[in-house]
Amino acid sequence: MAEAAKERGNALYKAGKFEDAVKAYDESIAADPAIAAAHANRAAALTAMGRAKFNDATVACVEALCLDPSYGRAKSRLGALCVKLGDLEPAVAAAEARARSHPDHSPSSSLAKALRLLRDGRAAGNAAFKSGDVARALKTYSDAMLAAAAEAAGSDAAAAGAMDAEALCVAVPGAALLMCNRAACAASLGRHADALTDATAALRADPEYAKASLRAAHARKALGEHAAAAAIFAELRERLPGDASVADELNACRRAAGGDLAKLPTERAGVIEIESMERYRALIAKAPLCLIDFTAKWCGPCKQVAPHFAAMALANPTIHFLKVDVDERQDISAAENVRSMPTFKAYRYGAKVDEFSGADLGRLQGLVARYLPTLS
């Protein structure tokens, strides 16, 4: 029964039915609480439901790791959750609770200790960095990661000491947070190659770790690798369309790289004006959340709400705010069956989740408030 429920959960997860998948995994766990994969897969489904479920996903990952300390997928999922939360405390709390409920279970106490070492080392390193003692901050981050890795390796300090930056990020979930901060220290000390190594290693925990991508891009730029830096900023631009600093850095790196890159149009953060059906379909298919304003130049209410829509785009850089002129893009407005302006629609990964017509700013803000917590 437990295995069958787990497999049903896997099928539901693949179909994008995350809430139903969680229910199936719960059935599996109720039948057999010792199946680590059911806990780890439950964590994946909870994570897919957005930030509001990240703490629950963290607890599920900790349970999976305590059941099977060598479970690489559970370890990587917990590491990605620590990055997405930007905090080690939820993982520490979950591991400590697990250790208290299983006082004679050494994997639980070891995981809790390793996570505490990272949490406390990060706090101490941050304090040193803020005080201006960058070298001490760098050493503090390094020592904490090594100590945590040694704990995870069964107190084998030699094995931990032999790990490179990427191995450290893999060894202990959450180490990427310290690695990314160590990259900032290296950059401050003018050691840009080291900063690039550390930022790249931090991305091993979560390829969508925006802060690590930014630090890698800045390191490339400092090393004179402008085309490579531009490529990273361009990828970030796709994920953070409302981030003005990313757009500015992308423009600067393209100009510095020269050639065809310098000839590309200037990027501007904020609302994306849709000029083709292909672009429209591509964005709504892959973006975590798209809010589309179907507008017209002659529409008075459209003009009234436009500045607010533009301000919201800059205030919520992870959301894609799209603008479609219904007269210029009649193919899109016809496909979307737009009959009055303005009309607003919300898409999550290609699925329409909401829509309304009229210049109702409160309702538009309500869409953001409702769906922003579902982003990961």
Side-chain angles (χ1 to χ4, degrees):
M1 178 179 175
E3 189 63 28
K6 178 175 72 69
E7 292 304 318
R8 187 169 73 256
N10 292 349
L12 289 165
Y13 177 84
K14 290 177 182 177
K17 298 179 179 179
F18 304 123
E19 290 187 30
D20 291 336
V22 170
K23 292 177 183 178
Y25 293 132
D26 286 342
E27 290 179 28
S28 176
I29 292 166
D32 185 352
I35 299 179
H39 293 279
N41 292 358
R42 181 174 183 271
L46 287 165
T47 301
M49 291 168 66
R51 178 168 291 273
K53 298 293 185 181
F54 284 180
N55 283 353
D56 292 340
T58 298
V59 173
C61 275
V62 165
E63 183 67 23
L65 267 182
C66 290
L67 289 170
D68 183 359
S70 65
Y71 194 174
R73 185 171 294 176
K75 190 178 293 187
S76 64
R77 284 176 180 162
L78 181 57
L81 281 162
C82 289
V83 165
K84 292 179 188 300
L85 285 164
D87 190 5
L88 285 154
E89 191 57 45
V92 171
E96 288 181 338
R98 217 286 179 174
R100 286 193 300 271
S101 64
H102 298 76
D104 298 323
H105 189 245
S106 59
S108 299
S109 58
S110 180
L111 178 61
K113 182 178 179 180
L115 288 167
R116 279 197 303 270
L117 286 166
L118 290 179
R119 178 198 62 190
D120 297 345
R122 185 184 185 220
N126 290 354
F129 188 86
K130 289 177 182 177
S131 73
D133 194 343
V134 179
R136 181 161 65 88
L138 189 150
K139 185 176 187 304
T140 300
Y141 294 134
S142 298
D143 290 347
M145 287 188 287
L146 287 171
E151 178 64 31
S155 300
D156 189 342
M163 293 180 182
D164 60 15
E166 183 172 315
L168 282 173
C169 286
V170 173
V172 188
L177 289 169
L178 284 75
M179 191 66 71
C180 189
N181 287 3
R182 195 174 79 171
C185 293
S188 295
L189 295 169
R191 293 160 46 182
H192 300 295
D194 290 342
L196 178 59
T197 296
D198 285 354
T200 302
L203 286 166
R204 176 70 169 77
D206 184 358
E208 295 185 354
Y209 192 176
K211 188 177 290 185
S213 290
L214 282 168
R215 288 181 176 158
H218 284 295
R220 295 279 189 191
K221 180 182 176 183
L223 291 167
E225 301 173 11
H226 296 105
I232 300 174
F233 282 123
E235 189 274 332
L236 282 166
R237 173 96 175 100
E238 289 293 308
R239 290 195 280 130
L240 302 170
D243 193 315
S245 65
V246 170
D248 291 344
E249 288 287 0
L250 175 56
N251 293 328
C253 286
R254 283 175 172 174
R255 289 193 297 268
D260 291 339
L261 285 178
K263 299 175 185 177
L264 291 173
T266 299
E267 300 279 350
R268 290 182 175 81
V271 176
I272 301 170
E273 297 195 9
I274 299 299
E275 298 177 348
S276 71
M277 175 67 85
E278 291 72 23
R279 176 67 167 156
Y280 178 75
R281 285 176 172 167
L283 282 173
I284 65 171
K286 70 178 181 179
L289 178 60
C290 279
L291 294 182
I292 307 108
D293 175 12
F294 291 90
T295 184
K297 293 182 177 67
W298 46 264
C299 171
C302 296
K303 294 177 182 178
Q304 292 174 2
V305 78
H308 301 285
F309 192 73
M312 291 171 69
L314 294 174
N316 299 278
T318 60
I319 299 176
H320 287 68
F321 287 77
L322 313 184
K323 181 178 179 181
V324 177
D325 187 306
V326 297
D327 293 320
E328 296 178 1
R329 294 264 45 102
Q330 294 182 26
D331 53 344
I332 299 176
S333 60
E336 289 285 3
N337 196 31
V338 175
R339 297 182 180 276
S340 62
M341 277 66 69
T343 288
F344 296 95
K345 301 198 178 195
Y347 275 86
R348 286 275 284 129
Y349 291 117
K352 184 171 65 178
V353 293
D354 218 324
E355 66 178 307
F356 69 92
S357 296
D360 189 334
L361 181 59
R363 195 167 178 181
L364 185 58
Q365 292 170 333
L367 286 181
V368 174
R370 179 179 180 183
Y371 293 107
L372 186 59
T374 69
L375 304 187
S376 58

